[in-house]
Amino acid sequence: MPPPPAPDRPTADSARTTSRRLPVVPLPQHGESLFSWIDHLATHYEVDRTQIMDRLGLKPATAHAARLARHTAELPLASAVPLHTATGVDPKQLRDMTLFGIVRTSTGRLDRHPEFRWAPEETWAFCPHCLRPPARWPLWWYQSWAVMCPKHRCYTASFCPDCGSPFSPSALRGDAPGRCPGFMPRADDPVTRPPHTKRRTKRQRCGRPLWEIDTPPATDPAAYAVFHSLLEFHDEETPSPDLQQWYDDLRTLRILLKDPHALRVQAFTSTDLALQERFTADEGPSRWGEPAPVISWRRSDSGFLFPMRRTSPNTWTGQRDPVSAAAKLTVIAAVLDSQDPAASARDVFTVRHPAGLRDFDDQLPSYMNRASPALRELLSQALDAQALARLPAP
């Protein structure tokens, strides 16, 4: 397949203002992300990501993956117009491939968005089976609840088991599609490098095929049910009031189990061994004299294990783990779907310490203001007096 035709040596600015229609445009799949579709166009025309982005008027930069990830969060109008001209794809379809739609002016980084404490710049989840070439992936993989694949009935992955690198679209390489873009741990850290060696070796890319990563099968029917409800909510343009209320309540409990870990789960049982292991398995390994692993498991204040990545001899960074997230969602759904959520919350959760406004960057999320009355008793214990005063009166 020949590369897409380009204007006769125009400047970068004129190329974006005189973009012409591509001769053949593979249409986006239902629910596909903008990043996935643009990468597929590059594969279709056998060019790299930078070339196809330039042809589409998306202003490729040195960090072209980061820019395309940013456009997947919110697509500037100045980029949406030439993209529509070059592909003929309806603006509504372009909007549906992004998280926050088409905007006139970019709002800057979204990793601290008040409603969504995630963005494509951050860690994402994926199904290894779905990434077998030629790979195309859905937008909902960017969601924090993307814990399993409904097609392959397996849990998703968020970090490489070989190098420990978290996966982010902003790091995906155009010259090595479908492979881990992370770096292998150095073999010459100061603790292992001979004293006479001054120069450090060049870091090596991991390059493991993402589709070869193993993830456990998702066998808990309750976990699948709550995940299916989240997919349904995501697909609905106007969710029903009951589904919207359920979603607001779920996010309220979920943030209290995450940062700042105001709640702790007292007990957790599941027929799914992968989920149960996240609650009952031991932390570790931490034997004296053994080399530290790339990934080590620690117990969070919520009661569940989570992965920590070794980024230097003495530095560990928390990682996202879809299996632990699925276990938390299962607990939350069991409370919300019970006949008496207030009583169920008392049985399932214990309050470690009340969360304060500082834990929420001095602003409670709006969905917490919409929490149902059944959660009011739990919130009165899980929030300190100042934070509780921000909630609407019952």
Side-chain angles (χ1 to χ4, degrees):
M1 179 71 66
D8 295 332
R9 297 191 178 278
T11 65
D13 290 335
S14 65
R16 289 189 288 271
T17 58
T18 61
S19 59
R20 293 179 285 122
R21 179 72 176 269
L22 292 174
V24 178
V25 179
L27 294 178
Q29 294 181 350
H30 174 71
E32 186 173 12
S33 72
L34 183 68
F35 200 117
S36 170
W37 181 57
I38 299 300
D39 256 16
H40 180 68
L41 289 179
T43 300
H44 176 81
Y45 280 104
E46 298 180 356
V47 297
D48 64 31
R49 187 187 296 139
T50 304
Q51 289 175 283
I52 198 68
M53 288 177 66
D54 183 62
R55 181 62 178 81
L56 298 174
L58 294 181
K59 303 179 182 180
T62 302
H64 48 83
R67 183 177 293 276
L68 185 52
R70 193 65 184 75
H71 289 341
T72 305
E74 53 179 20
L75 184 62
L77 182 61
S79 298
V81 171
L83 181 57
H84 166 68
T85 302
T87 63
V89 172
D90 184 84
K92 182 181 183 301
Q93 282 185 289
L94 295 178
R95 183 196 67 193
D96 291 344
M97 286 190 285
T98 67
L99 293 170
F100 303 110
I102 299 173
V103 298
R104 289 190 175 276
T105 305
S106 175
T107 57
R109 287 183 59 84
L110 293 171
D111 56 352
R112 289 295 176 265
H113 191 282
E115 290 299 302
F116 306 94
R117 293 176 184 271
W118 46 262
E121 293 91 340
E122 296 188 339
T123 305
W124 56 299
F126 67 92
C127 169
H129 301 287
C130 291
L131 283 185
R132 291 188 178 277
R136 302 177 74 171
W137 61 88
L139 185 67
W140 64 261
W141 277 5
Y142 296 104
Q143 301 280 354
S144 58
W145 46 261
V147 297
M148 66 176 67
C149 175
K151 179 180 179 181
H152 297 104
R153 299 297 287 262
C154 65
Y155 290 109
T156 52
S158 283
F159 60 87
C160 177
D162 286 355
C163 67
S165 298
F167 291 106
S168 169
S170 62
L172 287 179
R173 301 174 64 192
D175 60 346
R179 294 181 179 272
C180 174
F183 290 96
M184 295 299 292
R186 287 187 184 276
D188 61 344
D189 280 320
V191 293
T192 59
R193 189 168 73 230
H196 62 275
T197 304
K198 295 182 178 181
R199 295 188 63 182
R200 306 188 72 181
T201 60
K202 184 179 179 180
R203 298 190 69 183
Q204 298 296 317
R205 292 275 188 179
C206 175
R208 176 171 180 168
L210 302 181
W211 61 86
E212 292 183 357
I213 293 176
D214 291 326
T215 59
T219 61
D220 191 312
Y224 184 79
V226 63
F227 172 74
H228 181 77
S229 296
L230 287 165
L231 271 181
E232 180 184 352
F233 179 87
H234 181 265
D235 289 339
E236 292 285 343
E237 288 193 11
T238 307
S240 67
D242 289 342
L243 185 58
Q244 180 66 58
Q245 183 64 72
W246 176 86
Y247 184 62
D248 289 338
D249 290 346
L250 180 140
R251 289 204 288 177
T252 295
L253 294 180
R254 186 173 180 271
I255 197 172
L256 292 174
L257 276 175
K258 197 179 177 186
D259 296 325
H261 298 116
L263 299 181
R264 185 180 182 89
V265 175
Q266 301 187 63
F268 177 76
T269 57
S270 173
T271 56
D272 189 320
L273 296 180
L275 295 187
Q276 187 61 45
E277 186 182 48
R278 290 298 190 270
F279 193 81
T280 58
D282 294 330
E283 296 178 303
S286 59
R287 296 181 182 177
W288 178 260
E290 289 187 356
V294 175
I295 295 292
S296 183
W297 294 87
R298 298 288 183 264
R299 192 171 305 281
S300 70
D301 291 332
S302 66
F304 291 95
L305 295 176
F306 69 100
M308 296 285 289
R309 179 193 179 201
R310 179 174 175 262
T311 54
S312 72
N314 299 310
T315 304
W316 295 82
T317 304
Q319 300 278 80
R320 172 181 175 182
D321 177 48
V323 182
S324 295
K328 294 178 184 178
L329 290 174
T330 303
V331 170
I332 293 171
V335 170
L336 298 180
D337 297 341
S338 66
Q339 295 295 323
D340 188 348
S344 181
R346 288 194 296 269
D347 295 337
V348 172
F349 301 119
T350 182
V351 178
R352 291 183 54 258
H353 58 75
L357 284 177
R358 179 180 296 181
D359 297 313
F360 302 103
D361 296 331
D362 295 320
Q363 180 181 359
L364 291 183
S366 63
Y367 52 80
M368 190 173 286
N369 295 327
R370 300 190 296 267
S372 63
L375 299 182
R376 188 72 188 200
E377 177 185 345
L378 182 65
L379 288 176
S380 67
Q381 302 172 25
L383 299 177
D384 66 14
Q386 189 179 17
L388 188 63
R390 294 288 184 93
L391 294 180

